[in-house]
Amino acid sequence: MLKTKFRIKSSDWEQQTPVFTSITPLDGRNYHKIKILSEFFSEFSLNRRRVEVEIKWLIFLSTRGFLPKISLSKIKKLEEIVAGFDLKDMAKVREWEKKTNHDVKAIEYFLDDKFSKIGLKNLIGKLHWGLAAEDVNNLAVNLNLRDYVDEQLLPLINQSLQALTGLILDSKCPMLGRTHGQPAEVTVLGKELAVFLARFKSEIFRLKQIKLQGKVAGAVGSFADQHFCFPTENWPKLTSKFVSSLGLDPVTATTQILPYDSLLVLFSGLLRLSNIAIDLVQNLWWYVSFGYFAQKKKMGEVGSSSMPQKINPIYLEGAEGGFEQSNALFEFYIRKLSRSRLQRDLSDSTIRRSFGIAFAFSYLSWQSLEEALSRLSPQPEVMLNDLNNHWEVLIGPVLSYLRMLGYKQAYEFLVAETRGKSLTRQSYLDLVSKLKLEAKDSRKLKNLAPQSLIKPSLEVINEAVK
């Protein structure tokens, strides 16, 4: 069994959360949007996973003869402790921690107390054999992270991509393409959005290949304690079996801590995804400002306290800000967690407790992106009108055609006639008339119009949305 699902009752958890007096917007005004993350990044979720790891390790050792055999009925009771871990249990763990000033030792005492109350006194004192606290912690944290990515983050990102796909399919309209912010050539709005869809798909494919790691190697990663007690056993190989049974990729060459490399790969992938999303929302913001997208109105909402007419792209802007905040933390994690002094220093543990902040800002931003996409409506007539005011977008195709014909000094002629100018349909036709061309070639260029060049862009769209 690789995964154990746990659920916190929303009403119970919210009673513990001072929503209106919180310091950050994550556990304040935005808590209702991200409360699902409590199941993966809260103190409760971390300690629940620690309980799971301790008990599964106990059962693992028992089944292999390193501890007295545990009967099936007692194994069932142990599994019920894991499945039934609730906020009352968490409060008891916290009381133990106040005495021990050590969070993992508090779990050990909590479980010993639990064993004595449910007829498992013979197991008291057998917990935590061969483990360092960091053996428990690295597995607990990575199990929570793995489940969060699989169960919450990837489905949320996929919802945004479905919304983006729908917008792409609704946006097969000719558009003025800009380079350096200036009119350049004709394109299709949906094709420009398809660029982002293709980039997202590529990164998500890489993200799904990542397998988070885990280790059980003792105080400094030397397996010394285990070897002293059972010197004939191959402990790196055996502990790898346990880590694999949890659904993590085992690592045996470690210090007291598991190197964070698999998490760094995850953070790097999420950072790249977020950067693509930032690029998308900034481009959408510009298209909204051009009038290429209208923003759907919602009854009761207002856009400005002083300008009643406004509909502001607040979800695009909110997504951008949140992604930038999460990326700042992901970048910091990548720098900080790639190194550790000697066999252990505690600074990584402090940093690790902030993972939920980065993921919460990211989660909010993916929600905002999905909401923003749902509120956009393409405006083909605005785009076509803009395009018809810029027939100079045909100069690139004309140049290519003249070069194909072998027309001498075609580039120099077009530079002299068009550089820095906006062309209407008539001024474009006048330009073509100045070219010394055969009648059929002149007709071909005169029949050219911006919207007649969009077929390849439509093919790009069809390929991207497959």
Side-chain angles (χ1 to χ4, degrees):
M1 201 280 287
L2 298 184
K3 295 186 181 181
T4 304
K5 290 193 176 183
F6 300 85
R7 290 293 178 264
I8 308 167
K9 289 182 181 179
S10 295
S11 58
D12 289 345
W13 190 252
E14 287 165 359
Q15 287 173 10
Q16 311 296 317
T17 309
V19 172
F20 300 122
T21 57
S22 61
I23 296 172
T24 78
L26 297 176
D27 285 328
R29 61 179 288 122
N30 292 316
Y31 179 71
H32 65 290
K33 295 181 180 179
I34 61 165
K35 60 185 178 182
I36 190 67
L37 272 69
S38 294
E39 296 183 14
F40 306 93
F41 298 105
S42 63
E43 279 295 304
F44 172 87
S45 66
L46 175 59
N47 282 285
R48 170 260 289 168
R49 281 294 194 187
R50 286 167 169 161
V51 168
E52 178 185 359
V53 170
E54 289 277 10
I55 285 180
K56 286 186 174 180
W57 175 246
L58 187 70
I59 295 171
F60 179 85
L61 292 174
S62 171
T63 57
R64 282 157 178 79
F66 299 105
L67 293 178
K69 186 173 180 61
I70 304 173
S71 68
L72 291 177
S73 62
K74 289 185 177 180
I75 287 177
K76 185 178 179 181
K77 286 186 176 183
L78 290 172
E79 291 173 342
E80 287 172 352
I81 293 174
V82 177
F85 189 83
D86 57 19
L87 292 174
K88 291 180 180 178
D89 288 331
M90 179 63 225
K92 293 175 183 175
V93 171
R94 194 75 178 107
E95 287 302 312
W96 276 113
E97 188 180 346
K98 289 176 182 177
K99 299 174 185 176
T100 62
N101 200 27
H102 193 288
D103 46 9
V104 175
K105 193 64 180 178
I107 292 291
E108 185 181 345
Y109 287 144
F110 161 77
L111 286 174
D112 278 345
D113 189 45
K114 199 83 168 175
F115 290 173
S116 68
K117 293 177 180 178
I118 60 173
L120 298 175
K121 289 184 178 181
N122 64 315
L123 296 178
I124 293 175
K126 303 208 169 37
L127 272 169
H128 208 67
W129 183 89
L131 295 178
E134 194 52 33
D135 290 323
V136 177
N137 284 332
N138 86 89
L139 297 175
V141 168
N142 287 7
L143 286 170
N144 274 339
L145 267 175
R146 178 203 64 189
D147 288 357
Y148 168 71
V149 172
D150 290 348
E151 297 173 15
Q152 298 298 326
L153 182 58
L154 284 176
L156 178 61
I157 293 174
N158 284 332
Q159 288 173 210
S160 293
L161 298 195
Q162 289 171 12
L164 178 59
T165 300
L167 192 60
I168 289 169
L169 294 173
D170 288 341
S171 304
K172 295 182 177 180
C173 30
M175 184 188 85
L176 177 62
R178 290 173 167 85
T179 59
H180 307 277
Q182 307 301 308
E185 286 199 10
V186 65
T187 185
V188 170
L189 177 57
K191 191 278 287 183
E192 300 309 312
L193 301 184
V195 172
F196 297 100
L197 181 63
R199 295 174 68 194
F200 280 134
K201 286 182 176 179
S202 178
E203 285 299 337
I204 288 171
F205 175 80
R206 294 187 187 97
L207 193 64
K208 288 181 176 178
Q209 311 310 307
I210 299 171
K211 189 170 184 180
L212 296 186
Q213 297 173 331
K215 73 98 181 178
V216 175
V220 296
S222 63
F223 302 93
D225 297 3
Q226 300 96 321
H227 175 74
F228 177 71
C229 296
F230 299 97
T232 61
E233 187 62 51
N234 183 332
W235 283 102
K237 184 176 181 180
L238 184 69
T239 57
S240 292
K241 289 181 179 179
F242 175 70
V243 173
S244 295
S245 75
L246 299 175
L248 299 175
D249 195 22
V251 177
T252 54
T254 74
T255 59
Q256 185 178 104
I257 72 167
L258 170 75
Y260 284 95
D261 298 333
S262 67
L263 288 190
L264 304 188
V265 174
L266 171 64
F267 297 151
S268 179
L270 294 175
L271 191 151
R272 292 194 302 272
L273 268 173
S274 297
N275 277 333
I276 296 169
I278 291 170
D279 197 11
L280 171 62
V281 299
Q282 289 178 338
N283 276 269
L284 290 172
W285 188 94
W286 279 110
Y287 293 141
V288 169
S289 75
F290 296 155
Y292 292 178
F293 285 115
Q295 299 176 88
K296 298 173 184 176
K297 293 185 288 187
K298 287 204 171 183
M299 293 298 295
E301 291 186 352
V302 296
S304 168
S305 64
S306 59
M307 295 170 281
Q309 78 279 11
K310 297 284 295 288
I311 302 178
N312 294 326
I314 58 172
Y315 287 99
L316 291 174
E317 294 164 341
E320 180 180 349
F323 281 129
E324 287 174 338
Q325 288 186 86
S326 64
N327 274 5
L329 284 171
F330 287 142
E331 288 169 355
F332 169 62
Y333 298 153
I334 291 168
R335 292 196 311 275
K336 169 63 180 174
L337 298 177
S338 61
R339 55 189 184 267
S340 177
R341 289 190 292 278
L342 302 180
Q343 284 67 56
R344 174 66 157 138
D345 75 272
L346 197 65
S347 60
D348 66 300
S349 180
T350 301
I351 303 306
R352 191 168 58 194
R353 290 180 181 274
S354 74
F355 286 173
I357 301 172
F359 281 97
F361 277 120
S362 168
Y363 195 83
L364 276 174
S365 292
W366 286 110
Q367 288 179 328
S368 292
L369 175 57
E370 183 184 358
E371 180 66 25
L373 293 169
S374 73
R375 292 176 176 231
L376 298 180
S377 177
Q379 302 296 294
E381 66 285 353
V382 175
M383 285 179 268
L384 188 57
N385 183 62
D386 204 3
L387 197 54
N388 284 333
N389 289 327
H390 292 282
W391 277 62
E392 67 271 20
V393 299
L394 297 180
I395 299 306
V398 168
L399 174 61
S400 293
Y401 190 75
L402 294 177
R403 281 173 166 164
M404 184 185 70
L405 295 176
Y407 196 100
K408 292 182 179 179
Q409 292 192 315
Y411 182 86
E412 289 72 18
F413 172 78
L414 292 173
V415 163
E417 292 289 329
T418 67
R419 188 164 190 253
K421 298 178 182 179
S422 294
L423 300 182
T424 63
R425 179 178 182 276
Q426 187 56 54
S427 57
Y428 166 76
L429 293 174
D430 293 343
L431 172 67
V432 173
S433 295
K434 292 181 182 180
L435 294 166
K436 297 176 181 178
L437 297 171
E438 293 184 11
K440 66 180 181 63
D441 293 320
S442 183
R443 271 196 313 272
K444 185 176 178 69
L445 292 182
K446 286 183 177 181
N447 288 332
L448 183 61
Q451 56 265 43
S452 64
L453 297 172
I454 68 171
K455 183 181 177 183
S457 291
L458 297 178
E459 291 169 348
V460 170
I461 290 174
N462 292 337
E463 185 65 26
V465 299
K466 281 183 180 178

